[in-house]
Amino acid sequence: MSEHALDISLTVNGERVHERVEARKTLVDFLREDLALTGSHVGCEHGVCGACTVRVNGEIVRGCLMLAVQCDGATVETIEGLSDSGEIADLQAAFEQRNALQCGYCTPGMIAAAQDLLKRGGVPSRDEIREHLSGNYCRCTGYHAIVDAVEAVAQARAGAKP
Amino acid sequence: MKITDDSPPVLTALDRPNSYIGRSVPRPNLARLTQGRGLYVSDVTLPRMAHVAFVRSPHAHARIGGIAADAAKKSPGVIAVVTGAELAEVMTPWIGVLTHLKGLKSAAQSPIAVEVACWQGEAVAAVVARTRAEAEDACELVEVSYEPLPAVTDPETALAAKTPVIHASLGDNLCFERKLDVGAVDKAFAEADAVVETTFLFGRHTGVTTEPRAVVADWNAGEQRMTVYHGTQAPHMMQNLFAKHLGVAEQQVRVLTKDVGGSFGIKVHTYADEMATVALSKLLKHPVKFVADRIESFVTDIHARDHRVKAKIGVKSDGTITAFEIDDLTGIGPYSVYPRTSGIEANQVVNLVGGPYTCPNYRAQARVVFTNKNVMCQYRAVGHPLAVAVTEGLVEQAAAKIGMDPLEIRRRNLFPDDGYPCASAAGLKFEKLSHHESLAHLDALMNYAGLRAEQSRLRSQGIYRGIGFASFIEVTNPSAAFYGVGGARISSQDGATVKLDAQGNISVATGVTEQGQGAESVIAQCVATAFGVSIDKVRVVTGDTDNTPYGGGTWASRAAGIGGEAAWQAGKALRGNVLAVAGAMLQAKPEALDIRNGIVVDSGSGTERLSLEELARVAYFRPDTLPAGIQAELVATRHYVPRAWPFAFTNGIQASYLEVDTDTGFVKLLKHWCVEDCGTIINPQLVDEQIRGGVVQGIGAALFEECLYDERGQMLNGNMADYLVPMAAEMPDIECGHVVSPTADSELGAKGAGEAGTAGAPACVMNAINDALRPLHAQPLTDMPFTPDKILRALGKV
Amino acid sequence: MKPAPFAYRRARTTEEAVALLGEKDARLLAGGQSLIATLNMRLSSPALLIDINGVGGLGGTVHKNGKIEIGALVRHAQAERSELIVKYAPLIARALPHIGHAAIRNRGTLGGSIAFADPAAELPACLLALEGEVEATGPSGKRTIRAQDFFQGLFETALGSQDVLTAIRFPAATKDTRVGFAELARRHGDYAIVGLAACARADGERLSDVRLAFFGVGATPVRARRAEAALASGDVDAAVAALDLVPQDDVQATAKVKTHLAGVLLRRVAKQLMEERA
């Protein structure tokens, strides 16, 4: 086995995956090209825009700043998996109702980042929401609708707690 | 006795039962996007698909000597290395000129540079390989010998005798020049009580669409047909251009767009590397994919807004504006972009300065010059952000000079709401605007008096907040006057085909396209209302030249006003067709029937008579049961183009409230408002969201964005860490209000709304900063973006 | 862009990483938040990437002998959540939320930040202000390098080509410790235009042992020693006047602006130092 390409085994959206992958391939390219999970997007390849944000071992990361080979043995969750599990159903509904997405390209990363904030519990202020989402670039919405949607979900989740 | 009339209001054509017009319906088909199951062109893969990467000139201007490609051709995964000369066998070059911009000239541009590279980033060779990574590996092995040539990088000296001419065949570096002189400008300045003269500088911007430009071209040699998956706003235009430059018939080309990750005008232009990708597919008989990465996007996506405008305003002490004058200079790239030309932005600046005001004296000069930087062309709100900043900046500086409130000076000069139709000094024809009602609405919405009081109170504590305004007009729904008259194959009309299927559901194919603004939803709302079904029964097909009526696509805020009207008319026409069949089936007069909520009913009583599903079943499968002579026609197509007005002008007014940290020069945006009149509003939430997104793009212009070049024509900040786009933490909440002045040129009365936010935001942020700093006697800032550096210098702190 | 091809090996121990660094053109991969971005832009094309994320013993934070020792592989996000760091390294705790964004902090490591030594980064300045030290392992074994000797030039440190940074160490905060931190960035999470990491000891009503480490003002973080002395004597104006920084123009700001902003930050941080209660 060449050191330029390695075999990796990992879990992606609950499915076991075994692939041979070039060392230089980033996690997001691996997801998109090798696994055809095109819901995670490439926007800059230098870690600034956040379109590639996915979850690795429960934490959000930039898919363009991790190599696929680093994910051997890891648990990866992409927007497709988060969606099918139902974990973000209320966020998705709020985004759709409030038109917190227009072209939708930043949306998977934006929702992953929003869920990362909301998982911590409590009702963040609008400024706190803006700060937590400050690493996710959106050119379409101007962010106001996104903040509205995340705030509404935070309030609903807090209200739903016994 | 007071006689009051209690008649119900006269029903307009829009007062359909269960009307979706004016309703904030959530867009259908958003679930696929929130699930990550959309299909962007950058997601498309085809069998045998290859990837192209381009060898790009590191020099702003250089003669291309030899291209040694042997090592590259042997690199793993490489299919071909292709030069400009080789590609010229497959694709002809183009020239971006329009005849109605008199004197506009440009040199021919090739898909890959031949002989000379004219900007840093221009493609000089293409490497096609199995993967993008392998193509890039091979690009590093291509040896190009360049003979650097002097680069023209300063627009101010581009026309000087000593400056080299980029294209010898053109004679000089002048692309386009326009002059306008209306009224008696010199007399008006002489009679003014106060004159403000200043120079506005605007940074060069680029769109930074979240999904970069992407195209997959697939030439099928057996069918002799080119299929292009293209993230374009104008698929029919691209179909026409691909066909023209490949030398095939239009019907041999199909252009498909599905999801597009943002466009804003960036994706409505013809790009050399995209054309090259299409040509490469034909040459190599492979599908070929090109996705511009972010780094190459910065040096190849069109830039915009790089203007220097010297400007002057004259006012009387009673606030009457007596004259406007501008001298606009813009340095575009080495080519006028095809087919819309790079003269339009300056042309718009000349047209739009002074636009909201009655002042009849206006003189303007604009020159568009070639430089060896990246190409420039239309980007959201084309020319408006500049014209509005110039006009509104002058107006507020003039108000300050004569000691008048900035809203008051506007009240004294805006076109009166009851004075329409009329025309501006520059000759723009206005059907009906609402400057005064919008201003009054804004005044109340933002509690202007309250904010002034707060500003005053905080000033005494050494906290400097500012309030700035921008009134504006906005071009929407363009007729053929925009491009068609100049010879461009850009359609100003649009069409919709509406069809009832065998289950009684509706599909509508439209020539306008979707990049996130909600065109699909607007079309569905129009059809659902006009025809008479609930919106979940309507499926919209867009972005496919094989399967939609010939149309213009989405740009210049035309999708709702033009695409929507075509859809509305088609929906009505289909209802007529369906009721003709229903009448025959029910032995009733079609005029006594209606379709409501998917059921044929008696229009008077509302009694349900027949389901659409049943009608369709009979029409499609049991026409033998229909009366003799009936031929059911369950499809209708209608086209629409504005005829009465060259453009449907809209109007609005924005305000910015911000705080300047006078120690650091940092600006904190506290709040933003926009009151806008786009005529009939089809979906209020979508209009508000277009405004918000547009405002933030304008804020980017005012505070953050600028493509920086050195004197050698090298772009210095072409990445997302150094080119600063607005992110969530620095943006304010944006409150929107509306006034409605429908256009009579269509039954819907809808004008456009997509660009208004961007048109006004830079101006009002600028005015707010200057308002904040006024008590500190800072020289008013007019050089965007307003960085801490510039603010500190204006305050004399550095 | 896509990175140029490279070989990849996972090191299981520090010694293995040191040995692999002996190969031609090898780079260490820890958090990767800076490295992979440069690889993606082909600004760097190493032949071999040595992944040290699996090396044991480098991921903990301990409080011993009056010092805090943070393992090189501790992630920024981990550090944010660490009670030890919040309590005994308040300056670092103040700085951490300014580093990039949550997704970056989940992967980026403290060791990586120190070793990369971006002049506009927060943690190198913190370490300098804390008069901390860096522990490294190389071909001749372990050694300790003082922060003041560590940062040598633009992205240049005292680490040799075969050294692996294993930990950072600095005195734990006591009840007399006062810290102050401020940075100015155009957008939240951006690299700072100018920043200041400061600490001092409360000495009755006054401050002693003042350390002011500026970042974004030179090739390395810089101690403003003349300003420190003036601030210790209680005179903020004199401290600002005594600032002797020599920044360069860059894409973000001119030297003049950086100098001015450094003075503004000094005033703001001085207030924090005075008002701080440990």
Side-chain angles (χ1 to χ4, degrees):
Chain A
M1 179 172 77
S2 137
E3 292 168 338
H4 285 78
L6 286 84
D7 289 331
I8 56 173
S9 293
L10 60 159
T11 304
V12 180
N13 297 333
E15 291 178 9
R16 298 282 306 144
V17 164
H18 309 278
E19 292 288 333
R20 169 158 299 188
V21 63
E22 267 196 288
R24 62 166 160 174
K25 189 165 244 187
T26 61
L27 174 60
V28 68
D29 280 349
F30 171 70
L31 293 168
R32 290 176 53 77
E33 294 168 15
D34 295 52
L35 303 184
L37 289 167
T38 55
S40 307
H41 298 139
V42 175
C44 73
E45 298 181 305
H46 35 287
V48 176
C49 76
C52 64
T53 306
V54 292
R55 252 190 353 213
V56 174
N57 297 334
E59 297 183 320
I60 54 167
V61 300
R62 299 283 200 236
C64 71
L65 295 185
M66 274 192 90
L67 303 174
V69 292
Q70 289 182 273
C71 295
D72 187 38
T75 299
V76 177
E77 295 160 280
T78 70
I79 184 69
E80 293 93 336
L82 292 176
S83 181
D84 290 346
S85 74
E87 181 184 338
I88 50 169
D90 53 354
L91 265 173
Q92 288 168 309
F95 267 60
E96 290 166 30
Q97 284 273 12
R98 183 58 193 86
N99 210 63
L101 67 152
Q102 291 186 22
C103 79
Y105 200 77
C106 77
T107 306
M110 191 71 75
I111 287 184
Q115 176 62 359
D116 184 64
L117 174 66
L118 296 181
K119 262 170 56 177
R120 301 166 193 209
V123 182
S125 67
R126 289 180 75 84
D127 279 349
E128 283 168 333
I129 293 170
R130 284 181 179 277
E131 196 173 291
H132 199 83
L133 298 181
S134 62
N136 287 80
Y137 173 52
C138 176
R139 193 51 139 173
C140 295
T141 66
Y143 306 105
H144 182 137
I146 294 175
V147 177
D148 283 354
V150 176
E151 186 181 41
V153 174
Q155 286 166 350
R157 287 188 188 180
K161 282 193 176 6
Chain B
M1 167 191 181
K2 196 156 193 253
I3 300 172
T4 53
D5 184 348
D6 199 26
S7 316
V10 175
L11 289 184
T12 70
L14 304 186
D15 285 318
R16 296 276 301 136
N18 304 317
S19 170
Y20 289 97
I21 306 303
R23 309 289 292 273
S24 290
V25 190
R27 288 155 60 202
N29 305 324
L30 284 188
R32 73 161 186 268
L33 298 180
T34 61
Q35 291 181 24
R37 293 184 163 120
L39 185 67
Y40 298 88
V41 176
S42 49
D43 299 335
V44 170
T45 55
L46 299 175
R48 294 183 63 247
M49 187 174 80
H51 295 254
V52 60
F54 293 94
V55 178
R56 296 187 178 280
S57 169
H59 303 286
H61 198 194
R63 195 168 305 285
I64 303 165
I67 299 181
D70 286 341
K73 286 179 181 172
K74 298 195 193 97
S75 192
V78 170
I79 294 167
V81 179
V82 181
T83 64
E86 288 161 348
L87 209 58
E89 314 274 311
V90 184
M91 182 173 266
T92 56
W94 53 83
I95 306 182
V97 292
L98 287 170
T99 55
H100 69 306
L101 295 179
K102 302 247 171 298
L104 177 73
K105 63 186 194 279
S106 181
Q109 185 181 7
S110 301
I112 297 179
V114 180
E115 286 181 15
V116 188
C118 292
W119 84 87
Q120 177 222 1
E122 185 176 13
V124 302
V127 175
V128 181
R130 263 179 346 207
T131 65
R132 171 76 188 216
E134 285 168 326
E136 290 181 10
D137 295 341
C139 280
E140 291 187 348
L141 300 174
V142 175
E143 282 173 30
V144 184
S145 59
Y146 293 103
E147 180 206 320
L149 299 168
V152 178
T153 57
D154 182 4
E156 300 283 354
T157 56
L159 300 178
K162 286 189 311 199
T163 303
V165 173
I166 299 173
H167 304 283
S169 59
L170 298 181
D172 60 26
N173 290 325
L174 182 68
C175 171
F176 175 62
E177 181 167 32
R178 178 157 172 224
K179 291 191 203 298
L180 187 69
D181 197 344
V182 180
V185 170
D186 293 321
K187 180 163 172 284
F189 278 123
E191 289 172 354
D193 294 318
V195 171
V196 171
E197 194 167 355
T198 186
T199 301
F200 293 89
L201 292 169
F202 300 95
R204 213 174 219 256
H205 297 148
T206 186
V208 199
T209 57
T210 32
E211 181 197 17
R213 294 181 298 110
V215 63
V216 178
D218 183 13
W219 172 251
N220 184 317
E223 287 188 348
Q224 288 289 294
R225 218 162 180 252
M226 177 70 76
T227 302
V228 186
Y229 299 83
H230 196 189
T232 178
Q233 297 169 227
H236 286 98
M237 181 190 86
M238 292 315 302
Q239 175 195 30
N240 173 271
L241 294 178
F242 291 142
K244 177 175 171 184
H245 291 283
L246 287 174
V248 301
E250 242 182 50
Q251 45 179 248
Q252 287 176 268
V253 178
R254 180 182 186 192
V255 178
L256 291 159
T257 79
K258 193 160 179 190
D259 295 307
V260 178
S263 54
F264 319 109
I266 303 300
K267 295 177 183 173
V268 81
H269 301 292
T270 300
Y271 286 91
D273 46 26
E274 294 174 5
M275 295 289 270
T277 304
V278 172
L280 286 166
S281 179
K282 185 153 191 279
L283 182 68
L284 302 173
K285 299 192 180 58
H286 271 266
V288 180
K289 181 172 190 174
F290 171 61
V291 180
D293 68 35
R294 185 58 62 192
I295 304 293
E296 71 190 317
S297 294
F298 275 108
V299 292
T300 56
D301 284 3
I302 55 110
H303 290 177
R305 318 233 211 275
D306 192 354
H307 288 241
R308 177 275 286 143
V309 186
K310 295 184 182 160
K312 198 166 153 188
I313 187 174
V315 286
K316 293 243 200 266
S317 41
D318 71 356
T320 309
I321 299 170
T322 63
F324 283 103
E325 181 167 10
I326 64 158
D327 175 348
D328 176 21
L329 175 68
T330 175
I332 60 171
Y335 298 103
S336 168
V337 175
Y338 182 65
R340 292 168 191 256
T341 84
S342 304
I344 292 281
E345 188 176 74
N347 200 48
Q348 290 278 72
V349 173
V350 169
N351 283 338
L352 294 163
V353 165
Y357 303 110
T358 53
C359 171
N361 306 306
Y362 173 46
R363 185 158 55 213
Q365 145 167 294
R367 277 167 304 148
V368 178
V369 299
F370 295 114
T371 71
N372 292 114
K373 298 178 187 171
N374 186 19
V375 296
M376 274 186 23
C377 212
Q378 280 75 303
Y379 169 41
R380 195 175 197 174
V382 187
H384 293 67
L386 312 172
V388 176
V390 168
T391 304
E392 299 301 288
L394 288 174
V395 166
E396 289 211 1
Q397 285 195 38
K401 202 158 185 184
I402 61 173
M404 183 169 282
D405 175 270
L407 281 187
E408 184 54 32
I409 196 173
R410 288 176 170 92
R411 285 191 196 97
R412 296 186 186 199
N413 288 281
L414 289 168
F415 279 106
D417 289 356
D418 60 359
Y420 294 96
C422 62
S424 73
L428 304 176
K429 297 183 172 47
F430 303 129
E431 178 189 1
K432 170 81 177 83
L433 302 178
S434 60
H435 287 294
H436 290 269
E437 191 180 342
S438 300
L439 187 151
H441 192 355
L442 177 73
D443 191 340
L445 186 68
M446 66 189 283
N447 183 15
Y448 177 50
L451 289 178
R452 279 291 179 209
E454 183 173 74
Q455 176 189 43
S456 177
R457 190 170 44 80
L458 290 171
R459 264 184 194 161
S460 59
Q461 297 170 29
I463 295 171
Y464 293 94
R465 293 194 175 175
I467 304 166
F469 298 97
S471 289
F472 59 90
I473 54 172
E474 172 72 45
V475 168
T476 75
N477 295 0
S479 68
F482 211 175
Y483 291 115
V485 299
R489 300 222 153 196
I490 293 168
S491 193
S492 53
Q493 59 82 48
D494 229 286
T497 299
V498 188
K499 186 165 65 176
L500 183 74
D501 71 17
Q503 288 182 338
N505 293 325
I506 296 288
S507 68
V508 49
T510 170
V512 299
T513 53
E514 172 73 68
Q515 297 90 41
Q517 63 280 91
E520 273 182 25
S521 178
V522 164
I523 298 295
Q525 286 177 250
C526 289
V527 170
T529 306
F531 180 76
V533 288
S534 89
I535 201 171
D536 58 285
K537 305 257 185 258
V538 179
R539 184 172 163 264
V540 180
V541 174
T542 122
D544 180 352
T545 55
D546 267 7
N547 289 305
T548 60
Y550 206 94
T554 294
W555 47 274
S557 307
R558 70 190 293 279
I562 296 181
E565 181 68 15
W568 176 261
Q569 295 298 336
K572 277 173 56 183
L574 184 63
R575 175 154 54 92
N577 290 0
V578 168
L579 292 180
V581 176
M585 286 171 68
L586 297 169
Q587 301 287 296
K589 289 196 165 63
E591 316 83 75
L593 299 171
D594 195 4
I595 305 175
R596 293 179 195 165
N597 214 19
I599 315 265
V600 177
V601 304
D602 281 331
S603 49
S605 63
T607 308
E608 295 187 358
R609 302 292 305 274
L610 183 63
S611 75
L612 285 178
E613 198 174 339
E614 176 59 15
L615 185 147
R617 185 190 71 82
V618 170
Y620 283 124
F621 306 121
R622 295 305 311 274
D624 56 302
T625 64
L626 292 171
I630 301 291
Q631 294 283 354
E633 185 61 74
L634 302 186
V635 180
T637 296
R638 287 294 181 274
H639 289 256
Y640 168 74
V641 66
R643 295 306 308 274
W645 300 92
F647 308 100
F649 275 96
T650 65
N651 66 276
I653 183 167
Q654 294 186 28
S656 167
Y657 185 47
L658 50 79
E659 188 171 306
V660 180
D661 181 334
T662 51
D663 287 330
T664 62
F666 276 63
V667 173
K668 183 161 168 59
L669 301 170
L670 299 171
K671 191 96 182 266
H672 201 104
W673 298 262
C674 179
V675 173
E676 215 256 347
D677 183 348
C678 58
T680 302
I681 297 175
I682 297 167
N683 186 319
Q685 178 163 252
L686 294 184
V687 170
D688 284 357
E689 293 310 311
Q690 282 302 291
I691 303 240
R692 291 190 171 108
V695 163
V696 168
Q697 248 174 321
I699 290 173
L703 295 179
F704 292 107
E705 299 184 44
E706 185 173 25
C707 298
L708 295 168
Y709 273 87
D710 70 13
E711 67 287 343
R712 297 171 305 146
Q714 300 286 312
M715 187 169 173
L716 299 173
N717 63 337
N719 63 72
M720 291 195 69
D722 295 328
Y723 182 92
L724 305 178
V725 290
M727 303 295 274
E730 289 73 38
M731 292 302 109
D733 280 349
I734 299 157
E735 207 171 324
C736 302
H738 294 284
V739 177
V740 177
S741 308
T743 172
D745 207 356
S746 70
E747 210 167 291
L748 274 172
K751 303 174 185 173
E755 297 166 276
T758 308
C764 66
V765 170
M766 171 179 70
N767 285 339
I769 291 172
N770 288 328
D771 183 63
L773 301 182
R774 202 154 277 129
L776 299 168
H777 307 293
Q779 184 75 342
L781 287 144
T782 53
D783 174 4
M784 295 193 195
F786 303 115
T787 58
D789 199 310
K790 291 175 186 170
I791 290 175
L792 288 171
R793 268 189 277 129
L795 288 168
K797 301 230 170 163
V798 296
Chain C
M1 296 177 84
K2 308 303 173 190
F6 50 79
Y8 169 90
R9 297 277 294 271
R10 293 181 191 116
R12 283 154 300 191
T13 63
T14 308
E15 290 67 31
E16 194 180 336
V18 170
L20 285 169
L21 277 170
E23 299 207 13
K24 188 164 164 262
D25 226 358
R27 297 283 301 270
L28 292 177
L29 171 64
Q33 304 301 280
S34 299
L35 177 64
I36 299 182
T38 61
L39 297 182
N40 286 348
M41 290 196 259
R42 293 197 183 212
L43 291 174
S44 164
S45 21
L48 170 67
L49 232 57
I50 305 156
D51 187 339
I52 56 169
N53 285 284
V55 172
L58 299 182
T61 302
V62 293
H63 180 198
K64 74 175 184 215
N65 302 333
K67 299 209 176 190
I68 292 293
E69 184 174 303
I70 307 178
L73 286 180
V74 170
R75 314 269 173 198
H76 300 311
Q78 244 181 295
E80 277 182 286
R81 295 187 298 260
S82 157
E83 281 177 31
L84 276 178
I85 288 177
V86 170
K87 187 155 186 219
Y88 294 108
L91 180 57
I92 294 207
R94 287 259 183 110
L96 287 167
H98 291 272
I99 300 177
H101 304 100
I104 303 282
R105 295 197 292 278
N106 282 336
R107 295 296 305 165
T109 63
L110 272 81
S113 177
I114 300 294
F116 188 56
D118 189 303
E122 296 80 0
L123 295 180
C126 290
L127 195 68
L128 195 64
L130 292 166
E131 290 184 352
E133 25 189 53
V134 168
E135 196 182 84
T137 301
S140 358
K142 278 196 197 183
R143 71 185 198 289
T144 301
I145 311 157
R146 297 181 306 172
Q148 68 195 75
D149 302 320
F150 185 79
F151 303 103
Q152 297 180 347
L154 189 62
F155 298 105
E156 265 182 56
T157 69
L159 293 174
S161 62
Q162 264 188 277
D163 284 333
V164 178
L165 190 158
T166 53
I168 62 173
R169 201 184 299 120
F170 49 87
T174 67
K175 63 169 173 46
D176 294 328
T177 303
R178 300 287 178 267
V179 299
F181 183 90
E183 71 170 56
L184 288 166
R186 292 302 314 280
R187 303 170 307 178
H188 184 78
D190 282 353
Y191 275 112
I193 301 178
V194 181
L196 174 55
C199 57
R201 217 168 0 101
D203 194 350
E205 286 298 303
R206 300 158 57 88
L207 294 170
S208 66
D209 204 12
V210 178
R211 290 84 158 292
L212 303 170
F214 282 91
F215 53 101
V217 295
T220 67
V222 172
R223 288 275 297 272
R225 292 187 189 266
R226 288 180 56 217
E228 289 170 2
L231 197 58
S233 75
D235 190 340
V236 179
D237 291 331
V240 174
L243 270 181
D244 51 1
L245 305 168
V246 192
Q248 301 289 317
D249 291 352
D250 65 23
V251 175
Q252 293 252 50
T254 60
K256 275 195 192 151
V257 167
K258 284 183 184 253
T259 304
H260 169 82
L261 293 177
V264 173
L265 286 184
L266 178 48
R267 289 186 192 280
R268 294 182 182 184
V269 169
K271 269 182 96 176
Q272 291 178 32
L273 290 173
M274 315 286 198
E275 288 166 5
E276 256 293 271
R277 291 289 170 264

